[in-house]
Amino acid sequence: MISQLQRKCAVYCLPLIVMLAAPALVFAQNNRDTRVHDAEVAANKSELMAKGEAVYLKNCAACHQANGTGLKGAFPPLAGSDFLEGDRKQVLAVALFGKSGEMTVNGIVYNGVMPSQGHLPDDELAAVISYVLSSWGNSGAAVSVAEVSAIRAELGLGDRAEGERHVGTTEGELRYEGAPLAISPGSTAQIITKDSPVLSAAEFEVATTLYFERCAGCHGVLRKGATGKALTPDLTRAKGHEYLKALITYGSPAGMPNWGTSGELSEEQVDIMARFLMQEPPAPPEFGMPEIRESWHVLVAPEDRPKRPQHNRDIENFFAVTLRDAGEVAIIDGASKEIVTRVKTGYAVHISRPSASGRYVYTIGRDGRVDMIDLWMNPPARVAEIKIGLEARSVETSKYKGYEDKYAIAGAYWPPQYVIMDGDTLEPRKVVSTRGMTVDTQEYHPEPRVAAIVASHEHPDFIVNVKETGHILLVDYSDIESLTVTDIGAARFLHDGGWDSSKRYFMTAANQSDKIAIVDSRERKLVRLADVTKTPHPGRGANLNDPEHGPVWVTSALGNANVTFLGTDPDGNPEGAWQTVRVLEGMGGGSLFVKSHPKSRNLWVDAPLNPEESISQSVAVFNIDNLDGGFEVLPIGEWADLGPGPKRIVQPEFNKAGDEVWFSVWSGKEEESAIVVVDDKTRKLKAVIKDASLITPTGKFNIYNTLHDVY
């Protein structure tokens, strides 16, 4: 069984040999006496070779072994390999881009895929190549950082986040999909069967926790597959225990991380996980109306709430700021920059949405808890709560004329369902499962999660993205006892999206399908599936007037540096409507949000998931009047003036007036974070909001702009 995985990895890793070895040998043999070079390497080995060895052990040794001998019939050797001769440029190209197909090393034919190593910084690439070429009897040629940088630029791989540790999965995607689930392992049904390797109850619990933390985001709670492959017992038992251990240890070319060789899991944990995958998956409990109603609490009845605001602050300019790891939402006054209050909410609040009146804010966390906050109270406080599932991400309120503040809706990841509630109390009225068939292959999927939800301005509809199956549901809430649903087939892996400037067309990313779906909410139909580049992630997107193409909607991406403009003006600019009209190059892949404002001449683009610290701690800003002029980089992390920590810059958000942009400076739970406020016109620092209570700030939602879909 292991040999099958090894043959695969051999394929992936083979180019590494090419990439690492070929250049060095050629350079050494063609340019100078290897003995002289060996002496120079020996004299300067300590720092460079130590660095190269560290990079090698982390990224290469899993396949090629620590001593470069490889594994017979599986992973080609880097020591004494005749494949290390060839064109230096080609070798470096393989290092950056990877390679697939047949290769012969020492008379043995390997056929597979070598993953790109372009995600590594240039200095690490140069160090590891030099290390390989100076070890195990190799001739000792060195590769400089400048040479790697030059080849990268020449061949067009300037964006490190495009690089892949595993074929098909970028660095940005790995960070994005790696969040742990909020489901408690102890709540699952744990059935240990005798026809699989022995697993104790304690080991089963450990494995369940690891699976929910590391694996379920891609493979699904039930292991039926989502963006990752299915891992059900009928498949895993056929592979066998040793194969699974190798798979978990070394990873796969399809995007499976190398959990063992990266040091993330110990040998004991790898062994437990291999045995666990051969057992029936521990299914979390279902969570239907009885459980939902039991979790529902009205903390302050509508009749006991204030009849008018109890303070003089401008509620419309409040910001609801997620304090992710604190399980809180901070309400910050946009005028004074004061933290008005912090409200205890569910874990890792994903979004906050105001009611149509602007009085209430509804938040939802990863643990499926919805909190309703009354902004009229002094200070604002929770008035109702409910739990609509065990894992969730979306909430929205009714906005159509005549239904203001009447209903709220929340969507769950587990169980896959949405729940309609009374807007003033959160009393649950209707729960609807989203399990069903995929739009493409028409296969049944038991776990199609509810992603983005928006409220239509054209009809009393909630527009619901069903992620894994690719259905967009227009849920007519005018009669929730006889619910009418328009089901639009789009593309799989629907995630985030927002409105065009007319608020008629819903633009939503099917991010793993590399498409943007455009829905006409007035006619209740799909307008187009527009092709974009790898893994778009717009948040709500950004609307602006392009100097050449008129009204456009903008998205950035996890998988590359592209900032993509789609035309949204079928009447004034029909030739560009619902297709890509412009692509700009941003700082790099790993962007989560783009943002503009009708009063702004700027387009702001973050990149918090980029592996390069200087990028993730900065933000790019484009001049709308000169889009071809490139972008300015603002050092938001530096302006925050914080201590140690990752200081990732995430989610630009405008104030009500549209003259300030707020950024979260997102550090670790035990480290200092902040909110940085920038003057939109001058692009200069305006204010820094610091407080010990600002723990892991991520999303920020200005009440006015969120309510009116201004972005």
Side-chain angles (χ1 to χ4, degrees):
M1 294 289 188
I2 296 179
S3 63
Q4 299 176 30
L5 177 67
Q6 292 174 334
R7 281 193 292 274
K8 290 182 180 179
C9 276
V11 191
Y12 329 142
C13 305
L14 182 34
L16 181 56
I17 304 174
V18 183
M19 128 186 126
L20 297 181
L25 285 178
V26 174
F27 185 88
Q29 294 171 355
N30 295 346
N31 293 275
R32 51 178 160 166
D33 187 281
T34 58
R35 290 170 295 179
V36 174
H37 180 75
D38 287 342
E40 293 176 353
V41 169
N44 300 287
K45 183 176 180 179
S46 57
E47 184 175 348
L48 178 64
M49 292 298 103
K51 181 176 182 177
E53 182 179 22
V55 177
Y56 178 84
L57 292 174
K58 181 179 179 180
N59 295 277
C60 318
C63 295
H64 299 290
Q65 303 300 294
N67 60 1
T69 57
L71 288 176
K72 186 176 180 181
F75 310 131
L78 297 181
S81 171
D82 63 5
F83 195 77
L84 300 182
E85 300 180 12
D87 181 75
R88 184 181 183 89
K89 183 176 178 179
Q90 290 297 318
V91 173
L92 290 176
V94 171
L96 288 166
F97 289 97
K99 189 174 176 64
S100 63
E102 285 193 356
M103 294 183 182
T104 302
V105 180
N106 295 343
I108 300 174
V109 178
Y110 299 90
N111 189 8
V113 179
M114 161 70 186
S116 163
Q117 300 298 307
H119 65 281
L120 295 175
D122 292 350
D123 62 327
E124 291 189 9
L125 275 172
V128 70
I129 294 171
S130 298
Y131 169 75
V132 169
L133 298 175
S134 304
S135 303
W136 316 308
N138 291 330
S139 56
V143 175
S144 69
V145 175
E147 187 174 5
V148 174
S149 300
I151 293 294
R152 187 192 292 272
E154 180 180 347
L155 300 179
L157 187 61
D159 182 5
R160 275 185 52 219
E162 270 188 86
E164 301 173 342
R165 282 184 279 172
H166 302 281
V167 174
T169 305
T170 70
E171 290 295 292
E173 291 171 304
L174 283 174
R175 294 184 175 207
Y176 172 66
E177 299 196 31
L181 299 190
I183 297 171
S184 169
S187 69
T188 61
Q190 302 185 0
I191 303 173
I192 302 175
T193 59
K194 295 181 179 180
D195 53 351
S196 297
V198 175
L199 195 70
S200 70
E203 289 176 329
F204 199 102
E205 185 175 353
V206 168
T208 302
T209 300
L210 287 172
Y211 183 82
F212 285 172
E213 289 179 348
R214 310 280 187 163
C215 317
C218 289
H219 298 285
V221 170
L222 301 178
R223 306 209 307 252
K224 297 282 188 179
T227 55
K229 295 183 180 296
L231 295 172
T232 49
D234 60 312
L235 301 173
T236 57
R237 290 172 186 169
K239 295 295 186 183
H241 181 231
E242 292 301 319
Y243 177 94
L244 294 172
K245 284 183 21 180
L247 179 67
I248 298 166
T249 300
Y250 300 120
S252 82
M256 171 77 174
N258 53 321
W259 294 113
T261 57
S262 67
E264 295 288 340
L265 298 181
S266 66
E267 289 186 17
E268 181 183 9
Q269 289 174 320
V270 168
D271 180 67
I272 290 173
M273 291 301 297
R275 288 181 279 136
F276 168 79
L277 292 178
M278 300 174 72
Q279 299 283 344
E280 292 294 329
E286 298 294 328
F287 206 83
M289 184 59 81
E291 292 82 9
I292 294 171
R293 288 197 70 88
E294 187 177 354
S295 74
W296 168 55
H297 301 286
V298 177
L299 307 175
V300 182
E303 60 270 22
D304 297 327
R305 297 171 195 168
K307 303 300 186 275
R308 62 185 63 83
Q310 296 180 320
H311 54 81
N312 296 320
R313 298 179 185 269
D314 183 3
I315 291 173
E316 290 188 331
N317 202 29
F318 277 178
F319 286 77
V321 180
T322 298
L323 307 181
R324 187 186 187 281
D325 295 336
E328 297 179 341
V329 166
I331 304 298
I332 301 180
D333 186 339
S336 67
K337 314 297 188 294
E338 295 177 286
I339 300 174
V340 178
T341 189
R342 302 190 327 272
V343 182
K344 287 288 185 183
T345 59
Y347 163 73
V349 165
H350 190 83
I351 59 172
S352 300
R353 291 287 185 266
S355 64
S357 66
R359 172 176 181 172
Y360 298 110
V361 169
Y362 303 78
T363 70
I364 191 165
R366 290 286 305 273
D367 57 0
R369 174 175 151 183
V370 179
D371 288 287
M372 181 181 178
I373 302 169
D374 188 350
L375 298 179
W376 282 14
M377 298 173 71
N378 189 24
R382 295 188 309 125
V383 294
E385 68 178 25
I386 194 171
K387 195 173 169 67
I388 57 93
L390 302 179
E391 173 87 7
R393 76 170 303 277
S394 299
V395 69
E396 180 62 291
T397 65
S398 55
K399 294 181 178 178
Y400 191 68
K401 187 176 181 180
Y403 294 89
E404 299 93 336
D405 290 19
K406 187 174 180 63
Y407 295 119
I409 183 174
Y413 273 12
W414 183 268
Q417 61 193 28
Y418 59 87
V419 180
I420 299 175
M421 302 155 284
D422 283 338
D424 59 348
T425 65
L426 297 183
E427 181 178 3
R429 300 289 300 278
K430 182 77 80 173
V431 56
V432 182
S433 173
T434 55
R435 293 180 170 110
M437 306 298 176
T438 61
V439 296
D440 45 9
T441 59
Q442 299 288 294
E443 295 174 88
Y444 178 73
H445 199 298
E447 198 183 331
R449 298 171 287 185
V450 176
I453 304 175
V454 298
S456 173
H457 303 272
E458 298 285 346
H459 299 282
D461 289 343
F462 291 124
I463 302 180
V464 179
N465 276 351
V466 185
K467 192 178 183 97
E468 278 73 22
T469 54
H471 293 266
I472 300 174
L473 309 179
L474 278 61
V475 181
D476 184 344
Y477 53 76
S478 61
D479 183 357
I480 63 172
E481 299 305 323
S482 300
L483 207 62
T484 301
V485 179
T486 301
D487 189 334
I488 298 174
R492 296 181 68 184
F493 310 114
L494 294 164
H495 194 65
D496 271 343
W499 295 102
D500 79 310
S501 57
S502 73
K503 299 179 180 59
R504 172 177 173 177
Y505 299 96
F506 178 50
M507 318 283 289
T508 187
N511 53 19
Q512 292 286 349
S513 296
D514 303 330
K515 296 182 182 295
I516 301 294
I518 299 99
V519 172
D520 184 342
S521 68
R522 181 180 299 170
E523 300 296 330
R524 292 180 165 135
K525 66 180 184 181
L526 182 70
V527 176
R528 185 168 182 172
L529 283 174
D531 292 321
V532 293
T533 52
K534 190 170 177 61
T535 324
H537 193 283
R540 288 168 287 171
N543 288 300
L544 51 90
N545 278 306
D546 185 288
E548 297 179 30
H549 306 286
V552 296
W553 180 87
V554 184
T555 179
S556 54
L558 290 170
N560 53 51
N562 289 354
V563 181
T564 303
F565 291 47
L566 283 84
T568 61
D569 185 15
D571 297 325
N573 295 274
E575 69 285 349
W578 320 129
Q579 59 185 308
T580 298
V581 296
R582 184 190 297 271
V583 178
L584 303 178
E585 184 174 343
M587 293 193 299
S591 174
L592 290 178
F593 299 100
V594 293
K595 190 58 62 77
S596 191
H597 189 278
K599 297 180 180 179
S600 173
R601 304 312 301 160
N602 291 320
L603 171 65
W604 301 85
V605 184
D606 69 14
L609 301 185
N610 193 286
E612 186 67 49
E613 190 175 88
S614 62
I615 295 176
S616 66
Q617 295 185 3
S618 303
V619 67
V621 54
F622 292 86
N623 182 348
I624 296 173
D625 298 318
N626 183 25
L627 291 168
D628 293 329
F631 57 84
E632 182 182 0
V633 177
L634 300 187
I636 305 297
E638 179 183 324
W639 287 351
D641 191 24
L642 303 175
K647 296 186 284 291
R648 291 166 289 184
I649 310 306
V650 65
Q651 198 188 27
E653 178 80 346
F654 278 85
N655 64 342
K656 175 184 175 182
D659 57 8
E660 294 177 354
V661 194
W662 291 37
F663 299 91
S664 294
V665 185
W666 173 21
S667 281
K669 186 176 182 178
E670 306 300 326
E671 297 155 331
E672 190 180 19
S673 296
I675 304 292
V676 170
V677 182
V678 177
D679 186 295
D680 178 70
K681 186 175 182 179
T682 66
R683 302 180 179 178
K684 303 296 184 182
L685 175 64
K686 191 169 183 177
V688 178
I689 304 172
K690 292 184 183 181
D691 192 279
S693 67
L694 288 178
I695 298 171
T696 59
T698 52
K700 300 167 302 305
F701 302 92
N702 177 266
I703 298 301
Y704 181 88
N705 292 330
T706 305
L707 172 60
H708 296 283
D709 294 305
V710 177
Y711 36 80

